[in-house]
Amino acid sequence: MNLASRIESAGEPERINISETTYHHVKAHFNCTHRGKILAKGKGEVEMYFVEGIKESRPASLLQL
């Protein structure tokens, strides 16, 4: 299994689950909640976050994504 599959398996219904690497790319644009670590075969423990929503201060053009 690859990391994306492990992340998907560790998620919760109706929630967006992202890795710490992805979090660092999107944290300026989205509110996220740290949810702890998951064990990913071949990767060790991976910090995970839930995306809670877009930040209010983003330009209107980003809201259309």
Side-chain angles (χ1 to χ4, degrees), residues 12 19 23 38:
E12 291 181 9
S19 69
Y23 167 73
I38 65 159

Side-chain angles (χ1 to χ4, degrees), residues 19-34:
S19 69
E20 183 175 34
T21 301
T22 302
Y23 167 73
H24 287 295
H25 289 288
V26 304
K27 67 183 179 181
H29 306 290
F30 295 93
N31 295 315
C32 299
T33 302
H34 182 252

Side-chain angles (χ1 to χ4, degrees), residues 29-51:
H29 306 290
F30 295 93
N31 295 315
C32 299
T33 302
H34 182 252
R35 64 170 298 210
K37 298 178 182 182
I38 65 159
L39 184 59
K41 185 177 179 181
K43 297 285 184 182
E45 291 185 326
V46 179
E47 295 285 349
M48 301 302 297
Y49 294 79
F50 282 127
V51 177

